[in-house]
Amino acid sequence: MSSKPLDYENLNENVKKCQYAVRGELYLRASELQKEGKKIIFTNVGNPHALGQKPLTFPRQVVALCQAPFLLDDPNVGLVFPADAIARAKHYLSITSGGLGAYSDSRGIPGIRKEVAEFIERRDGYPSDPELIFLTDGASKGIMQILNTIIRGAGDGILVPVPQYPLYSATISLFGGTLVPYYLEETANWGLDVIDLRQSVAQARFKGITVRAMVIINPGNPTGQCLSEANLKEILRFCYQENLVLLGDEVYQQNIYQDERPFISARKVLMDMGPPISKEIQLVSFHTVSKGYWGECGQRGGYFEMTNISPKSVEEIYKVTSISLSPNVPAQIFMGLMVNPPKPGDISYERFVRESKGILESLRKRAHIMTDGFNSCRNVVCNFTEGAMYSFPQIRLPPKAIEAAKKAGKVPDVFYCLKLLEATGISTVPGSGFGQKEGVFHLRTTILPAEEDMAAIMSSFKNFNDAFMEQYEDHKGYSRM
Amino acid sequence: MSSKPLDYENLNENVKKCQYAVRGELYLRASELQKEGKKIIFTNVGNPHALGQKPLTFPRQVVALCQAPFLLDDPNVGLVFPADAIARAKHYLSITSGGLGAYSDSRGIPGIRKEVAEFIERRDGYPSDPELIFLTDGASKGIMQILNTIIRGAGDGILVPVPQYPLYSATISLFGGTLVPYYLEETANWGLDVIDLRQSVAQARFKGITVRAMVIINPGNPTGQCLSEANLKEILRFCYQENLVLLGDEVYQQNIYQDERPFISARKVLMDMGPPISKEIQLVSFHTVSKGYWGECGQRGGYFEMTNISPKSVEEIYKVTSISLSPNVPAQIFMGLMVNPPKPGDISYERFVRESKGILESLRKRAHIMTDGFNSCRNVVCNFTEGAMYSFPQIRLPPKAIEAAKKAGKVPDVFYCLKLLEATGISTVPGSGFGQKEGVFHLRTTILPAEEDMAAIMSSFKNFNDAFMEQYEDHKGYSRM
C-alpha cells in the first residue's frame, strides 16, 4: 500500500516545522528518567502547583460549590464552607445559563466579562468595554487565535522578542507566518532598544515580509525584566509609525519582585499618550489564571482584551471563537474571582490576603536566592528576575564543551542541560529553545521549587556546573560573551 | 492613516470564509430578542444543562472534592459527601501532578488515559493503547487539531456528510482545505450510499483535489441516524480502497433511542474485519463528556483515539498538543468518571443508575414526541431521531414563501426560522447551515427541552407552521421534495 494520509511524510508541513522546547527533548528525557525511578525537579514549565504551591482556599471553595450546586441546599454546607464562598457561588450560578455543565456564550459569561472590565478600569484608570473582552481556555489559546486571525501567509511577519516564549515561534510556524526577531539586550538588563527594532523591521521588509504585529512579554518570559513606562511609550510610538498591532502578553503582571518598576499595562500607557495614538493603535492584551499567586494552570482560564479593533473584526474573531462553542466554564469563574477577590470585611478576606501575600513574598525571596546562586557559579552570569517566574542565566561554555557537544550531535546548551538533568534531576530548558544571540548560551529554570528546597537545589546545581567547567575548561579563556 | 492590520480587509481570508451556523444569524437574533425580554427556547445547540437537565450527582461530588482537596481533611466531610466519592477524589488527586491547578501531561493524565483504554476494550472487545489516546478540551478541539494535521492546502479534500455538523465546514475553511460533500439520503432514513461516495471522490479528483480523509458522524448530527454494521463495513472498505483516514465522530454513542441498531464503533468494525484492513486503515475516533446522559458541555472534556497511526506521526500530534500545555484537568476527571462510573455495590451506584436511566428514557420519549409533532404539521416530514440529540424535519416551502424570502434578502429556510423565532421564541438552526440538497429545506432543533414543556412547544410550532403554510400556499402545489 502507498503511504497513508497520516504518515509522517504526508503531514501538514507547518505542523512538522513547529518546535516547542518547553516540552521538548529535555522534558521527554526527564519524563523517561522519572519513569526509571529518578527524582526529577521539573523546573521546565511555570507550573507552581506541581512544585507544591497550595491553591488559594477561597476561589477553590467557590468553584467546588458551583460544581456541586446540590450542596447549596444541604443543611450541613455551613459546616464545611464559609458564608461568603456560599454567597459567591450562588451569584456565579445565577449568571450561568445552566451551571458549569452548560456551554456559555462563546466569548465567556457576560457577567464575568463585566468583572474583568471593572478590574481593568481599576488597574488602569480608564474604562474598559466587556464586549471587547473574550474569556479563553488559558492565555495561550487566545494568543493562538489572534495570531491565526492576523497571519495570512509566509509574507506576514510578527515581531517577537528574542529570547522569547516558544509559544510564539511554534504558533507562527503552525499558521505559516514568519517570525521577525528583535533582540533583548542582556547587558542592559534584557532591555529593548527601539533602534534595534527598526533594523529588524527594515531587514524583514528587504526580504519582502510585511511586518504586521509586534509581541511584547511584560514581565518577560524567559528573561524576567519589567518594561518601564518610557520603554512602553517608545514601543507604542514605534507601532504607530510602523502600523503594527501590539500583542501585550501580560500574564505575569502579578509577579513583580522589585519596587522600582511596578507593572504598568500597555493599555494604560496607550491611553495616557492621548489622541491620535490612543485612538489608533490596535492592541490585544492577554491575561491568565495560571500565573500570579494563583497558579491555576490546570484550570485553563484566561482572557484577551481588544483596543481599537473595529466591530467588524471583533465579529470575525467572535465567529471563530464560536466554532469551539465556549471556553470551559469553571475556569471562567476562577477568572471572575481573580479579578474580584474577597474585600476587606469579607469573612474570607484575611485568609485570602495571608495566603496570597505568603506566595508572593516567598517568590520574591526565591528570585533572589536563585539569581545569587547562579552568580556564585563558575562561568555563569545571571540578571535578577524582576518579574515573572523564571531565571535565565547565561552559561559561558568553554570551547572544549562546545566541541564535545558537537561530537555528541547536540546543540551546546542542550548538551549542558542534559548533563545537568542526568547528574542532578533538575529539568530545565536550554536557551536555544527561546532563541539567543549566536555563540551565547543560556538555560531557563522556573523560580518555583519550594523555598525550603531552594538552597539544596542551587548547591546541587553549583556542584554540577563547577565540575562541568573544571572538566571542559582549558584554563586559558572563556567562550565569548 | 492607512488601513490597520486587524481591520476587516486585512484579516486572514480563511478566517473570514468560515461559517458556523449553530451560533450564526439565528442565534444572534435570538440573543437580541432575549435581551429585549422575549422568552427564548434555545434549541440551536445541544446544551442539555441549559435546558434544565440536572448534572449527575456522583461525578460532580468527585470533582468538587478535587477542587477543594482541603475538605478531605475536614472531619465534617462525610456529612455532605458519600464515602465512594471521597475515595475516588483521593484516587484522582493521587494521579495528578499537583491537583487540578497543575498542568498535566499535554496528552492528559496517564492514569485517566488508561481508564479510557479499558473502557474502549470493554466496549469493543479489543485492547486499546493509552499511549494512542489524547484527552482534549472537548471533542471539537481534537477534531480541529487532527484536521490541522491533515490539511496542507486547498488541494487537500475532506469528505464530509451533507447535512453535516458545521464544525467540519468551518474548520476546513479555517485551515484552508477543501470540503468534499457526500450526501446522506433522506428518503432512506439518512443512510449513506457508497456509490454516491465514489462519485463524490471522482468529481473531486477531476477538479484536482486529493481526497485524504473521510468524516462520519455516528449517531448523526443533525440527522440522527445510527449507522449499521454493514454500512460501517462498506465505509471502511471504501477508505481502504481510496487510502483515506477515517475520522469517526462518535460523541453521541450513548444517545440511542431505538433497539434495532445499537451503537457500534468504527474501531470495533475495523478490528472485526481482520487483516489486512484492520492493520492498514488509519482511524481517529472522538468522544466527549458533553453529550450522552452527562451533558457536561461547559466542562470541555473529550478524547481522541488513534488507530494505525505511526509513532512518528503520533509524536508530531503530541508536539502540537504541547503548545497549549494541557487540556483542562477538571474535565479530564469527568472523562475518567464517564468511562469508569460507579459499579454495582458502590454506595453511589443506585443513585447514579437512576439518574442516568431517567435522562436517557426521557430523551427517548422526547425523540418520539418531537418526530410525531413535526409529522403532524402541514408540509413537514421528519425521520425519527434514532440517536444523538436532534430532529431535522424537512420543511416543504411553497413557492410563494421562497419568493417572499428572496424579497427579504434571506435564504428561504433562514426566512422561515426567523419567522418561527419571532412568533414562538423557538431558536432553531436553518438547514442551510448544515448543507442540504438544492431546493430542499430543513431546520435543526435539539430534542432537549424538558419533557413537560414538549407538548406546548410542539403545539406552538404547529400553530406557527400551519399558519405560515396557509399564508404562503397557493393551494395548487408544493415545492418539490
Side-chain angles (χ1 to χ4, degrees), chain B residues 257 354-367 451:
Chain B
Y257 312 122
R354 191 172 64 244
E355 290 175 349
S356 48
K357 261 196 165 172
I359 292 165
L360 270 185
E361 278 167 9
S362 168
L363 282 171
R364 188 186 275 239
K365 273 188 236 160
R366 286 179 264 172
E451 199 178 318

Short mmCIF file of all heavy atoms in Angstrom, two decimals, chain B residues 257 354-367 451:
data_model
loop_
_atom_site.label_atom_id
_atom_site.label_comp_id
_atom_site.label_asym_id
_atom_site.label_seq_id
_atom_site.Cartn_x
_atom_site.Cartn_y
_atom_site.Cartn_z
N TYR B 257 -31.95 5.81 20.69
CA TYR B 257 -33.38 5.81 21.05
C TYR B 257 -34.18 4.73 20.34
O TYR B 257 -35.39 4.87 20.16
CB TYR B 257 -33.99 7.20 20.78
CG TYR B 257 -33.13 8.30 21.36
CD1 TYR B 257 -32.62 9.31 20.54
CD2 TYR B 257 -32.79 8.31 22.71
CE1 TYR B 257 -31.80 10.30 21.05
CE2 TYR B 257 -31.96 9.29 23.23
CZ TYR B 257 -31.47 10.28 22.40
OH TYR B 257 -30.66 11.25 22.90
N ARG B 354 -30.13 5.43 38.55
CA ARG B 354 -31.45 6.05 38.50
C ARG B 354 -31.38 7.36 37.71
O ARG B 354 -32.19 7.61 36.82
CB ARG B 354 -31.92 6.33 39.94
CG ARG B 354 -33.37 6.73 40.05
CD ARG B 354 -33.84 6.80 41.51
NE ARG B 354 -33.14 7.82 42.26
CZ ARG B 354 -32.33 7.60 43.30
NH1 ARG B 354 -32.11 6.36 43.74
NH2 ARG B 354 -31.72 8.59 43.94
N GLU B 355 -30.38 8.16 38.03
CA GLU B 355 -30.27 9.46 37.34
C GLU B 355 -30.00 9.28 35.85
O GLU B 355 -30.63 9.92 35.01
CB GLU B 355 -29.14 10.30 37.97
CG GLU B 355 -29.47 10.80 39.37
CD GLU B 355 -28.31 11.54 40.03
OE1 GLU B 355 -27.17 11.50 39.49
OE2 GLU B 355 -28.53 12.15 41.10
N SER B 356 -29.06 8.40 35.50
CA SER B 356 -28.69 8.29 34.09
C SER B 356 -29.80 7.63 33.28
O SER B 356 -30.10 8.08 32.16
CB SER B 356 -27.34 7.58 33.92
OG SER B 356 -27.30 6.39 34.67
N LYS B 357 -30.42 6.61 33.85
CA LYS B 357 -31.55 5.98 33.15
C LYS B 357 -32.68 6.98 32.93
O LYS B 357 -33.31 7.01 31.88
CB LYS B 357 -32.10 4.83 34.00
CG LYS B 357 -31.61 3.47 33.56
CD LYS B 357 -32.51 2.40 34.19
CE LYS B 357 -32.32 1.07 33.53
NZ LYS B 357 -33.05 0.02 34.25
N GLY B 358 -32.95 7.76 33.96
CA GLY B 358 -34.02 8.76 33.88
C GLY B 358 -33.80 9.70 32.70
O GLY B 358 -34.71 9.98 31.92
N ILE B 359 -32.57 10.15 32.55
CA ILE B 359 -32.26 11.09 31.47
C ILE B 359 -32.44 10.42 30.11
O ILE B 359 -33.10 10.95 29.22
CB ILE B 359 -30.82 11.64 31.62
CG1 ILE B 359 -30.75 12.53 32.87
CG2 ILE B 359 -30.39 12.41 30.38
CD1 ILE B 359 -29.34 12.85 33.33
N LEU B 360 -31.87 9.22 29.96
CA LEU B 360 -31.93 8.55 28.66
C LEU B 360 -33.36 8.18 28.27
O LEU B 360 -33.76 8.33 27.12
CB LEU B 360 -31.07 7.29 28.68
CG LEU B 360 -29.62 7.50 28.25
CD1 LEU B 360 -28.89 6.18 28.19
CD2 LEU B 360 -29.54 8.21 26.89
N GLU B 361 -34.12 7.69 29.26
CA GLU B 361 -35.51 7.30 28.94
C GLU B 361 -36.33 8.52 28.54
O GLU B 361 -37.15 8.45 27.62
CB GLU B 361 -36.14 6.59 30.14
CG GLU B 361 -35.72 5.12 30.18
CD GLU B 361 -36.05 4.43 31.50
OE1 GLU B 361 -36.76 5.03 32.35
OE2 GLU B 361 -35.58 3.29 31.69
N SER B 362 -36.09 9.61 29.22
CA SER B 362 -36.84 10.81 28.88
C SER B 362 -36.44 11.32 27.49
O SER B 362 -37.28 11.76 26.70
CB SER B 362 -36.60 11.88 29.94
OG SER B 362 -37.08 13.11 29.49
N LEU B 363 -35.14 11.23 27.16
CA LEU B 363 -34.71 11.66 25.83
C LEU B 363 -35.39 10.82 24.75
O LEU B 363 -35.80 11.32 23.71
CB LEU B 363 -33.18 11.56 25.69
CG LEU B 363 -32.38 12.68 26.36
CD1 LEU B 363 -30.88 12.36 26.35
CD2 LEU B 363 -32.63 14.03 25.67
N ARG B 364 -35.51 9.52 25.02
CA ARG B 364 -36.16 8.63 24.05
C ARG B 364 -37.62 9.06 23.85
O ARG B 364 -38.09 9.16 22.71
CB ARG B 364 -36.08 7.19 24.55
CG ARG B 364 -36.55 6.16 23.54
CD ARG B 364 -36.59 4.74 24.12
NE ARG B 364 -35.31 4.07 24.04
CZ ARG B 364 -35.11 2.90 23.38
NH1 ARG B 364 -36.11 2.30 22.76
NH2 ARG B 364 -33.94 2.34 23.36
N LYS B 365 -38.30 9.35 24.94
CA LYS B 365 -39.69 9.82 24.82
C LYS B 365 -39.76 11.12 24.03
O LYS B 365 -40.61 11.30 23.16
CB LYS B 365 -40.29 10.06 26.22
CG LYS B 365 -40.90 8.81 26.84
CD LYS B 365 -41.64 9.16 28.14
CE LYS B 365 -41.08 8.29 29.26
NZ LYS B 365 -41.35 8.80 30.61
N ARG B 366 -38.84 12.03 24.34
CA ARG B 366 -38.87 13.32 23.66
C ARG B 366 -38.59 13.18 22.17
O ARG B 366 -39.15 13.91 21.34
CB ARG B 366 -37.87 14.27 24.32
CG ARG B 366 -38.37 14.77 25.68
CD ARG B 366 -37.37 15.69 26.33
NE ARG B 366 -36.50 14.99 27.28
CZ ARG B 366 -35.44 15.53 27.88
NH1 ARG B 366 -35.09 16.79 27.59
NH2 ARG B 366 -34.72 14.85 28.74
N ALA B 367 -37.70 12.22 21.81
CA ALA B 367 -37.42 11.98 20.39
C ALA B 367 -38.72 11.61 19.67
O ALA B 367 -38.98 12.08 18.56
CB ALA B 367 -36.37 10.88 20.24
N GLU B 451 -39.21 17.46 29.21
CA GLU B 451 -40.29 16.60 28.73
C GLU B 451 -41.65 17.26 28.95
O GLU B 451 -42.52 17.21 28.07
CB GLU B 451 -40.21 15.26 29.48
CG GLU B 451 -40.95 14.12 28.81
CD GLU B 451 -40.79 12.82 29.59
OE1 GLU B 451 -39.67 12.53 30.07
OE2 GLU B 451 -41.80 12.10 29.74
#
